[in-house]
């Protein structure tokens, strides 16, 4: 056995005898590393072992005795697996570990019973019995979708200080980038790449190109400028075809690094100065050195203060090239083959340091597949858990349904009829309904929800509808009452009630009593429905409106008031199909993409800032015709750091200078909920001609008399948001208008604004918004941390989503609990991927 291993075993035995008190060496076990690592390398121990020992011992002092015992046992097992002769010389069992004296571990009370070492001294001592398999170490598993647990090299848990040249100060800087261990580095992906792989002779380069050239240094010098506040270093290279001048700023040491006659490779953007081609601050390195920074596809990483691209890239190369090939792939071979994706280790290598664009694409596809696959696995699991519950069966007769349709004061659209048919099928199925009703602004979702509630009512059960604001709840209450408790409705007026925060206490008590007794069939409300005193006799149907405005716990609290009630969640935000499949794979989806007949198309126009007076003229003409208008601003107040228009200043200016004879209201997010409701109700009741607001009116009150929406700073909004704002008008019979005014003249050509003027279809706009701005506009509170977990995947890649979805469904059909041996690593990785958030099926 090598001397370095013999010493290590002695230290470990002594530590075992001392009850894992970290007293085998004065100052702690980590103190041996200053001499042991160099001795181990001299003995020729594999670098993986050296790193594993360093990583384990550096974190040893921070662990409890039980974890220390497990760490040393696992480490020695790794050593003996790699170097069998280290296990040959066994000795009799050492004493069992004793409790750590309180003085030795002031931060933690010692356990009442010390950890047991069944084979004695963590398999470091002799004994006839084989060592038991090590228990998993807490926190040992890779906390990312690509990681593994039991087969993952333990050294990847090591702190970054094990790397040469990385001390505590450098480690602190890297931690700001989210990297604290070697394993973190494998998943710290480049944000973009520069392709320097196509070398050119200097004579063929031209202005504006991003190129790599090789040449001989002809001269190098530094000079001070601007009163000695800046040092410019200049060099000239020549490759025999032409010359090129290079310039660096405040890097005087380059005069000592660059030598005349030296051949170097240079990469950067070609610029022009006084008629000559130059490169400013290019990357360079001697041509005989492996070209990490030049002459290849170069990764560009996100940085933080005091971390340079070149230094980080070199560090990443050291870690990735050594450790990526040692990872065990968590994807079973059958899944990987079916999806036709790269092996994990190869994908990590190529995503950091790609050999070609083709290999980079394949690597990104594999890592993107991982992310979408894990999302799909999660929602499939949630769907399975939900469908395993029993649900009340409600049989709906065709005659009863036809009678309800005939009693409506308007004809339903085909989309509404299809949604109701979907709901009827769910209510008959015997499992709880879990459906997302997705409809554009004005598509008639409230009517569908009201009819669904009445279907459950006719079966003797109760329904609850929760809205995010009092004013929206009041709006739903009015609709439900007129549809269900009118002259031809199936309910009596007292059987539909409204419960919000401002409801008088006496009335609240009356409503609570009616719900508990079963006399109230439908309650519409806000968060007030979640209060403990609210109890139902038989709650079997729950509707959540604008569901992204509620957290998981709030939805769960309402559903818990019934026995597996049927659940309908609604959103007025059109969601692209690819996103819906990913985020809502656990929900059945009903899409209402058809507007009721008679709804007029809202005329949308883009005006430049110089045409603002035209907008004001249209506002005044609409008010004079008896209508009302919205004027929306992106900010609440003016800011020194932003030139965006603000609502408070806009309201003051409009009232004093533009519309002094009109009544203007002000609404913004810093107002108390009751203040906001009061303003909106006053506007709805016609007390204000114009409502000046931020985007708080994006979803909410129905004001049929409002016919004009003017959006200031419109280029700062996403398409989904602009479409929601536009949907606040056009709800009556009069022609309505939407005017979009960007910040600057040239912003009038903004893609989003042009799209708004071209289409009134929310689903078309949603697809374009997804392509332009990503999924953030649509996520809301769906799955905590959902979007941030996608580093490689594009949520607009429908083909990838379909592939991952098919793979997840196929795997669940074969092994829903992931109990088969080949799926064990996948099960662990799936648990870790979802451990940071909660599913929405609650």
């Amino acid at each position: 056995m090598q001397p370095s291993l013999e010493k290590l075993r002695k230290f470990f035995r002594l530590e075992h005898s001392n009850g894992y008190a970290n007293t085998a060496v004065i100052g702690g076990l980590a103190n041996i590393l200053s001499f042991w690592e160099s001795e181990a390398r001299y003995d020729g121990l594999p670098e993986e072992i050296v790193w594993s020992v360093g990583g384990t011992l550096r974190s040893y002092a921070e662990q409890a005795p039980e974890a220390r015992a497990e760490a040393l046992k696992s480490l020695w097992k790794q050593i003996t697996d790699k170097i069998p002769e280290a296990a040959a010389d066994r000795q009799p069992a050492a004493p069992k570990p004793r409790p750590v004296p309180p003085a030795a571990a002031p931060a933690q009370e010692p356990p009442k019973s010390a950890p047991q070492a069944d084979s004695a001294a963590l398999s470091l001592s002799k004994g006839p019995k084989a060592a038991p398999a090590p228990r998993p170490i807490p926190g040992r598993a890779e906390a990312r979708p690509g990681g593994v647990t039991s087969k993952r090299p333990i050294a990847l848990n090591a702190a970054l200080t094990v790397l040469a040249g990385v001390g505590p100060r450098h480690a602190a800087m890297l931690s700001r980038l989210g990297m604290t261990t070697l394993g973190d580095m494998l998943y710290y992906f480049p944000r973009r790449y520069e392709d320097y792989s196509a070398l050119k002779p200097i004579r063929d380069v031209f202005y504006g190109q991003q190129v790599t050239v090789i040449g001989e240094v002809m001269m190098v010098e530094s000079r001070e400028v601007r009163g000695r506040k800046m040092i410019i270093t200049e060099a000239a290279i020549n490759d025999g075809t032409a010359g090129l001048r290079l310039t660096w700023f405040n890097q005087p040491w380059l005069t000592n690094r660059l030598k005349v006659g030296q051949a170097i490779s240079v990469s950067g953007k070609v610029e022009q100065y006084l008629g000559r081609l130059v490169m400013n601050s290019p990357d360079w390195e001697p041509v005989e050195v492996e070209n990490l920074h030049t002459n290849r596809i170069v990764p560009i990483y996100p940085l933080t203060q005091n971390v340079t691209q070149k230094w980080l890239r070199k560090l990443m190369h050291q870690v990735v090239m050594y450790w990526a090939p040692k990872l065990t792939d968590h994807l079973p071979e059958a899944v990987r083959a079916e999806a036709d994706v790269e092996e994990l280790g190869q994908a990590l290598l190529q995503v950091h340091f790609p050999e070609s664009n083709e290999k980079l694409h394949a690597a990104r596809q594999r890592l993107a597949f991982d992310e979408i696959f894990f999302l799909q696995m999660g929602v499939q699991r949630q769907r399975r858990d939900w469908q395993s519950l029993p649900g009340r069966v409600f049989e709906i007769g065709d005659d009863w349904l036809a009678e309800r349709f005939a009693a409506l004061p308007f004809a339903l659209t085909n989309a509404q009829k299809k949604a109701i048919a979907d709901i009827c099928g769910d209510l008959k199925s015997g499992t709880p309904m879990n459906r997302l009703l997705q409809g554009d602004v004005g598509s008639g979702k409230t009517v569908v929800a009201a009819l669904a509630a009445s279907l459950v009512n006719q079966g003797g059960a109760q329904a609850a509808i929760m809205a995010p604001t009092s004013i929206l709840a009041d709006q739903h209450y009015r609709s439900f009452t007129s549809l269900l408790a009118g002259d031809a409705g199936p309910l009596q007026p007292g059987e539909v009630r409204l419960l919000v925060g401002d409801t008088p206490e006496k009335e609240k008590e009356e409503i609570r009593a009616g719900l508990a007794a079963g006399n109230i069939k439908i309650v519409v409300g806000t968060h007030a429905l979640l209060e403990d005193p609210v109890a139902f006799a038989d709650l079997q149907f729950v509707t959540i409106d604008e569901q992204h405005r509620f957290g998981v716990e709030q939805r769960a609290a309402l559903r818990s008031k019934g026995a597996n009630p049927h659940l309908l969640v609604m959103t007025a935000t059109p969601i692209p199909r690819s996103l819906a499949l990913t985020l809502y794979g656990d929900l059945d989806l009903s899409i209402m993409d058809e507007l009721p007949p008679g709804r007029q198309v809202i005329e949308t126009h883009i005006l430049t800032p110089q045409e603002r007076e035209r907008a004001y003229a249209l506002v005044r003409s609409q008010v004079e015709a008896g209508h009302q208008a919205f004027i929306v601003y992106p900010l609440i107040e003016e800011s020194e750091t932003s030139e965006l228009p603000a609502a408070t200043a806009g309201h003051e200016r409009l009232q004093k200078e533009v519309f002094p004879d009109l009544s203007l209201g002000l609404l913004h997010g810093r107002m108390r909920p009751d203040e906001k409701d009061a303003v909106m109700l006053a506007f709805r009741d016609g007390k204000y001609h114009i409502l000046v607001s931020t985007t708080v009116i994006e979803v909410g009150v129905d004001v049929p008399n409002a016919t004009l929406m003017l959006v200031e700073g419109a280029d700062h909004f996403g398409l989904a948001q602009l479409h929601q704002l536009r949907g606040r008008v056009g709800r009556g019979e009069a022609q309505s208008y939407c005017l979009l005014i960007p910040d600057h003249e040239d912003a009038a050509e903004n893609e989003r604004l042009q799209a708004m003027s071209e289409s009134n279809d929310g689903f078309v706009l949603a697809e374009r918004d997804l392509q332009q701005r990503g999924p953030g506009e649509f996520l809301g509170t769906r799955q905590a941390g959902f979007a941030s977990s996608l580093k490689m995947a594009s949520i607009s890649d429908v083909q990838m989503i379909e592939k991952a979805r098919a793979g997840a469904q196929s795997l669940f059909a074969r092994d829903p609990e992931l109990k088969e041996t080949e799926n064990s690593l996948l099960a662990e990785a799936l648990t870790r991927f979802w451990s940071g958030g909660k599913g929405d099926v609650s």
Side-chain angles (χ1 to χ4, degrees), residues 377-395:
M377 291 282 285
V379 295
Q380 289 295 323
R381 181 175 60 187
Q382 290 177 344
R383 184 181 183 88
R384 179 204 62 192
D385 293 346
W386 179 261
Q387 290 180 337
S388 67
L389 300 172
R392 175 90 64 87
V393 174
F394 292 91
E395 293 289 348

Side-chain angles (χ1 to χ4, degrees), residues 41-106:
R41 290 187 172 98
Y42 180 81
D43 287 344
L45 294 188
E47 191 66 21
E48 180 179 352
I49 296 298
V50 178
W51 283 31
S52 295
V53 172
T56 301
L57 298 192
R58 283 184 175 87
S59 61
Y60 186 77
E62 302 167 2
Q63 302 179 49
E66 297 96 327
R68 291 173 181 173
E70 292 295 346
L72 295 189
K73 182 163 67 173
S74 297
L75 177 59
W76 192 256
K77 185 178 186 303
Q78 182 187 0
I79 291 172
T80 55
D81 287 346
K82 194 80 173 178
I83 308 171
E85 58 267 28
D89 183 20
R90 306 270 179 147
Q91 296 184 15
K96 293 179 180 180
R98 66 184 183 215
V100 182

